Amino acid sequence: MSMDTDGRVRELWIEEPAARGRLADPVRTAAVRAVLVTALTLIQAMVALLCTVTGSWLAFPMVLSSVGSTVVTTWAVLDVWVTRQVWNQRNGVVSAPSSTARQLRRERRRARRAARTSTSARGEARIGRGGRGEARDGRLSQA
């Protein structure tokens, strides 16, 4: 605790709710693995660069292993993405549509209902005139 300029006691640490929930365990595991592999690849690339600059015999093997590590790092990052997609697909994502999306859906629904009622009203009016597609004199139209 610390004192304010006014003499009030102020907390040093204030808990705030997280904006997003934590990742699922398999996704978090894949993400940690990807971060570790990426860090090791960057260290390896730096060592390869320094060996190349100094002309060390170790430069060529380090460059080759850095290329291989880059492939592994790419695989690890893709693994995070795939694991996240699979987890979302299997366990679902809680989604609450925003009020804007809800409003748009309501408007589309109203428009469809209005179109349906106007279509059925037109059909009834045609039936009342003497059947579907018939002219008033009882003959079918030429169209």
Side-chain angles (χ1 to χ4, degrees):
M1 290 193 216
S2 68
M3 298 290 271
D4 245 352
T5 53
D6 308 0
R8 291 180 296 181
V9 177
R10 188 175 55 139
E11 295 290 324
L12 291 176
W13 189 269
I14 299 171
E15 287 285 331
E16 293 181 5
R20 294 171 54 167
R22 63 188 258 178
L23 290 172
D25 286 339
V27 179
R28 192 169 55 252
T29 303
V32 168
R33 186 171 43 242
V35 167
L36 290 174
V37 170
T38 304
L40 289 174
T41 301
L42 289 173
I43 291 170
Q44 193 173 14
M46 183 58 67
V47 169
L49 176 72
L50 292 174
C51 286
T52 304
V53 168
T54 58
S56 172
W57 65 270
L58 198 56
F60 184 67
M62 288 299 293
V63 168
L64 286 180
S65 64
S66 292
V67 170
S69 293
T70 303
V71 171
V72 172
T73 300
T74 305
W75 186 272
V77 171
L78 282 175
D79 180 46
V80 174
W81 182 68
V82 168
T83 306
R84 184 171 174 266
Q85 296 296 326
V86 167
W87 193 88
N88 284 343
Q89 195 170 30
R90 286 185 182 161
N91 301 319
V93 179
V94 178
S95 71
S98 67
S99 57
T100 311
R102 214 175 281 130
Q103 183 63 32
L104 288 172
R105 264 201 316 274
R106 279 188 198 123
E107 289 172 8
R108 281 195 300 259
R109 223 177 288 134
R110 280 189 202 117
R112 278 196 303 264
R113 280 188 200 129
R116 238 181 293 151
T117 54
S118 68
T119 304
S120 63
R122 267 188 282 152
E124 289 170 8
R126 252 197 324 213
I127 291 171
R129 283 190 309 213
R132 288 186 183 262
E134 289 184 13
R136 289 199 174 135
D137 59 358
R139 293 181 298 136
L140 289 175
S141 63
Q142 296 297 320

